């Protein structure tokens, strides 16, 4: 379900959890698990909190772990890496008026790409772009504020390279790792050079 990390390679670790109304606790549990796994501490030593702007943080002693959280309809996703900004977004696959929504929010090349897809593929195409925009916004620390929905994303291709440069943001890459078929998942990282693996755990 993801690439295996190469020793010494930069890796984004992604945890997917299911919720039944207890979303905050599931997210906290996954964040503690991430801190334990990547900071080498037992879970009870991992402290989880939120910055004033709402972004989550994970700390164990003096070590701080870059993390991102997303949730949608009973699913919680946590992404973490040892160093460098990370963003994650998840959406459940569903039918929606993709082209009409894209015309409202997306850049013209994205609308044209979406319109060129077979009608049955347009909802997935919309969600691929939306999750990429959300993940990039989180990696930037801005979310979708300041025109984030209009920020141009690399148009998804098949087969999809895992992480691709974001137009106009040379130090950011975004991609869609394999995940359960009912979900669309995007991961964004600040990574100016070198390969970055994504590992679903």
């Amino acid at each position: 379900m993801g690439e295996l990390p190469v020793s010494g390679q930069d890796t984004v670790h992604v945890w997917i959890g299911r919720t039944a109304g207890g979303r905050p606790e599931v997210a906290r549990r996954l964040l503690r698990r991430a801190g334990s796994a990547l900071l080498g501490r037992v879970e009870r030593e991992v402290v989880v909190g939120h910055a004033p702007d709402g972004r989550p943080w994970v700390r164990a002693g003096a070590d701080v772990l870059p993390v991102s959280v997303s949730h949608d309809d009973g699913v919680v996703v946590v992404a973490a890496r040892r160093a460098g900004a990370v963003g994650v977004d998840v959406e459940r696959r569903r039918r929606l008026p993709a082209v009409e929504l894209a015309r409202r929010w997306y850049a013209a090349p994205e609308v044209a790409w979406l319109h060129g897809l077979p009608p049955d593929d347009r909802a997935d195409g919309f969600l691929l772009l939306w999750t990429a925009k959300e993940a990039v916004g989180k990696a930037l620390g801005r979310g979708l504020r300041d025109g984030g929905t209009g920020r141009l994303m690399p148009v998804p291709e098949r087969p999809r390279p895992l992480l691709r440069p974001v137009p106009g943001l040379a130090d950011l890459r975004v991609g869609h790792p394999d995940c359960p078929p009912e979900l669309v998942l995007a991961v964004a990282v600040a990574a100016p050079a070198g390969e970055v693996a994504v590992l679903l755990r």
Side-chain angles (χ1 to χ4, degrees):
M1 279 189 105
E3 297 181 9
L4 292 177
V6 176
S7 179
Q9 183 180 23
D10 188 359
T11 303
V12 177
H13 300 262
V14 178
W15 287 262
I16 299 175
R18 309 288 176 181
T19 67
R23 182 185 312 160
E25 182 49 41
V26 172
R28 280 192 294 274
R29 186 172 66 243
L30 293 177
L31 287 164
R32 282 194 300 272
R33 190 174 297 161
S36 176
L38 299 185
L39 298 176
R41 304 293 185 95
V42 295
E43 285 190 28
R44 69 177 176 274
E45 295 175 347
V46 176
V47 179
V48 174
H50 286 87
D53 64 3
R55 285 189 288 170
W57 51 261
V58 171
R59 185 171 43 232
D63 297 322
V64 177
L65 185 67
V67 296
S68 182
V69 177
S70 181
H71 40 76
D72 185 47
D73 190 24
V75 177
V76 176
V77 177
V78 167
R81 65 193 286 216
R82 287 189 171 87
V86 62
V88 70
D89 191 57
V90 67
E91 293 282 339
R92 284 199 176 272
R93 291 185 193 276
R94 60 190 182 276
R95 297 192 62 77
L96 46 81
V99 175
E100 292 81 1
L101 291 172
R103 284 187 182 123
R104 183 184 311 169
W105 289 315
Y106 290 179
E110 295 168 332
V111 175
W113 171 78
L114 206 56
H115 192 268
L117 293 177
D120 288 346
D121 293 342
R122 290 177 183 164
D124 275 1
F126 180 91
L127 292 172
L128 287 167
L129 291 172
W130 183 266
T131 56
K133 290 171 189 286
E134 285 268 22
V136 166
K138 290 178 182 181
L140 290 170
R142 297 192 291 236
L144 293 179
R145 293 187 306 274
D146 304 323
T149 57
R151 189 180 296 122
L152 191 62
M153 291 294 113
V155 172
E157 300 172 349
R158 295 201 186 275
R160 293 192 298 259
L162 187 50
L163 295 176
R164 299 175 58 214
V166 176
L169 298 169
D171 290 351
L172 272 172
R173 290 194 251 160
V174 67
H176 297 87
D178 291 333
C179 65
E182 72 275 14
L183 304 176
V184 177
L185 176 68
V187 173
V189 296
E195 291 297 316
V196 179
V198 178
L199 177 64
L200 268 65
R201 303 178 58 122

